[in-house]
Structure formats: C-alpha cells, structure tokens
C-alpha cells in the first residue's frame, strides 16, 4: 500500500480571504508544470480567526511554504518562527518559507518590484517618487532604500499613513524620505528619475482612472512604473508613454514575486516568461 507522501506532491499555496480565483495560482502552477516540479500551489480560503490553525496545518503537513494576502500580511507574523530582514523592517509578510521546520516570514512585494525595476535601471543614488503609502508603497519604499536609492518622496492623500512610511525610511534605512500630502494635482518634481504608482488607482474594473498629476515636470526618459497588474497597460502608463517616459507594468512585479517565492520554496529559478504568458492570457 502506498504511503501518503508517495502520492502527495510538495505543497505550497495562498492563504487569502475571500478566496476568489487568483491569477497567482495559475501563474505559479504554470511554472511548476513547465519545470516539471513535483509541487502544487493551492488557493485556500482562510478567515482571520482561523489563520493560526491554517499555519499550524501547513506546518503539520510539511508545506514548503505559502503566500498570504490581505488581511493576513501582518497578523500572520504572530504564528511564525522568525522574519527575514526586509520583512522585519516593513512589518508585513506575504511569503512564508519552511526552513527545516521553522517558518520564516519574507516580504516579496517590494523585492518583486525592485527585481523588475533592475531590468531597466541601476538604483544607486536615484531620486524616486512613490505615489501612495499603503502596503505596496511601504514595501517598495523599504526595498528601494535597501537597494541604495538616495531619496524617496512619498505622495499620499492621508497624512498619517504617509508620515508613517517616511519615518520608517528615515529611521531604519540610509535613504532620505519626505512627504507631500496629495491634495489636487501633484506636480512631479523635475529631478525625478523614477516615478511609481503604488496606489490602487486604475485597478480593474476602474480602468480609466489614473493618479491626479501635473505632468509638466516629468522629463521624457524618466522611468514610470505601475503596481497595477490588471490591466497591465494602465491609463497611468499610457499617459507616461505618451510623454516619452520608459514604462514598467505591474505584471513584472507580480511575476518576480512568483520567481522569488518559488526559488525560496524549491531552490529552482523558474523562467519568468512562462508566467508572463499565463498572466497575459488571463488579463487579455
Ligand atoms: P492599500 O489599501 O494598503 O493602499 C492603497 C493606497 O492607495 C493608499 O496609499 C491610498 O491612499 C491610495 N489611494 C487609493 N485610492 C486613492 C485615490 N483615489 N486617490 C489617492 N490615493 C488613493 O493597498 P496596497 O498598498 O496593498 O495595494 C495597492 C495596489 O497595489 C493594489 O491595487 C494592488 O492590486 C497592487 N499590488 C500589486 C502587486 C503586484 O504584484 N503587481 C502586489 C501588491 C499590490 P490613502 O492612504 O490616502 O487611503
């Protein structure tokens, strides 16, 4: 009679709520199939009150690791054995890795974004403007600071959230950060080298919305990136491209998070183009 572990693939997955169809599942499974990895990535609906039991379940079943999305990114920390450096600074975890039975929290949101940005720019000494101060903006700002950018301007509607991110960067990293409270069209400073939309503006189905900016300061050739993966060609990126800027879509961030997560779980560096094809198929 076969033992359970003979017919179970190595498990990884996503702890999310609510558990709608998630493109990450299709993307990661496409990479597993392409590389012949005997692993599965499953979507699990986990309510906040069951998070501790879900983590204990993953531990008991020897999962290689899992991602967690909102609202679990902060609360999951209480159930883990340790944190990687940037996850500790950011104060949020979206990827958990089983290292010899110890569950370690990583944050791949910002790492995925920076990996995408590095394909077009050297970040050392750069001046970056980040629109937003939510979870994605915080992760991007911390990783950009750790990657050596010189200055980060956070532009956010709510002062309190913006101040929190600015204090975090100034207190915990070598980069200098300042805040602009977003109230009407924000004029992009002329010395900006990288502009990032890290707000949720433009996310499907609100596809015509774009951040309220006075684009006059923005020079052609500046790198303009969006966290919005659906649609990949956001209204924000289309407006930036029309001004001659170099654009980076949110698919790159999502794909690189997958690449980093799979490498942490399995040790295999997967081909990002397989995942991009799958996402482009899904998002049209
Ligand atoms: P949060 O809810 O934590 O933050 C949202 C941010 O957007 C806040 O700064 C908020 O400002 C700002 N915002 C929202 N609406 C407006 C508006 N109308 N005008 C001005 N500012 C606005 O979300 P997350 O940071 O977790 O996620 C942000 C986006 O990033 C989401 O759309 C998500 O899909 C995307 N994302 C993409 C990833 C990828 O791999 N491509 C990975 C992770 C996230 P305020 O503080 O004032 O409310």
């Amino acid at each position: 009679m076969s033992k359970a572990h003979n017919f179970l693939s190595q498990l990884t997955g996503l702890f999310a709520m609510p558990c709608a169809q998630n493109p990450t599942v299709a993307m990661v499974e496409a990479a597993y199939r392409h590389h012949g990895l005997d692993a599965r990535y499953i979507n699990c609906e986990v309510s906040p009150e069951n998070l501790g039991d879900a983590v204990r379940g993953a531990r008991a079943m020897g999962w290689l690791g899992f991602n967690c999305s909102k609202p679990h990114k902060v609360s999951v920390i209480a159930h883990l054995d340790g944190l990687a450096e940037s996850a500790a600074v950011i104060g949020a975890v979206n990827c958990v890795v089983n290292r010899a039975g110890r569950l370690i929290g990583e944050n791949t949101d910002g790492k995925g974004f920076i990996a995408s940005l590095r394909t077009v720019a050297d970040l050392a000494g750069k001046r970056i403007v980040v629109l937003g101060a939510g979870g994605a903006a915080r992760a991007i700002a911390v990783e950009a600071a750790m990657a050596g950018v010189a200055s980060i301007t956070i532009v956010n509607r709510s002062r309190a959230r913006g101040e929190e991110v600015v204090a975090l960067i100034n207190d915990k990293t070598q980069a200098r950060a300042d805040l602009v409270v977003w109230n009407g069209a924000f004029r992009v400073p002329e010395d900006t080298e990288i502009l990032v939309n890290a707000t949720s503006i433009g996310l499907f189905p609100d596809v015509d919305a774009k951040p309220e900016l006075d684009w006059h300061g923005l020079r052609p050739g500046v790198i303009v990136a969006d966290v919005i993966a659906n649609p990949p060609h956001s209204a924000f990126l289309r407006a930036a491209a029309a001004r001659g800027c170099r654009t980076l879509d949110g698919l790159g961030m999502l794909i690189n998070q997958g690449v980093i997560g799979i490498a942490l779980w399995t040790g295999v560096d997967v081909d990002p183009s397989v995942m991009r094809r799958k996402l482009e198929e899904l998002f049209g």
Side-chain angles (χ1 to χ4, degrees), residues 236-270:
F236 173 65
L237 291 186
R238 292 199 306 274
R243 297 196 68 83
C245 297
R246 190 159 185 192
T247 59
L248 262 187
D249 67 31
L251 286 183
M253 176 178 180
L254 189 57
I255 292 162
N256 280 305
Q257 286 189 62
V259 171
I260 295 165
I262 294 171
L264 287 167
W265 297 324
T266 69
V268 175
D269 285 322
V270 295

Side-chain angles (χ1 to χ4, degrees), residues 116-183:
S116 180
L117 201 50
R118 279 195 204 280
T119 61
V120 295
D122 173 11
L123 299 185
K126 290 283 189 301
R127 286 178 295 273
I128 176 168
V129 173
V130 177
L131 307 174
R138 189 182 176 94
I140 287 169
V142 168
E143 294 289 354
M146 288 182 160
V149 302
S151 73
I152 304 176
T153 296
I154 299 290
V155 182
N156 201 51
R157 191 175 53 175
S158 128
R159 176 182 289 277
R161 259 178 134 183
E163 280 176 346
E164 227 181 89
V165 177
V166 166
L168 180 69
I169 300 301
N170 286 333
D171 294 348
K172 301 262 176 73
T173 78
Q174 301 292 319
R176 292 300 86 206
D178 65 331
L179 173 68
V180 175
V181 176
W182 204 349
N183 183 8

Side-chain angles (χ1 to χ4, degrees), residues 1 17 23 42 63 85 116 135 188 197 219 237 250 253 258 269:
M1 204 168 86
M17 194 193 89
I42 55 176
W63 283 34
E85 188 189 358
S116 180
V188 182
N197 173 37
R219 290 171 294 112
L237 291 186
M253 176 178 180
D269 285 322

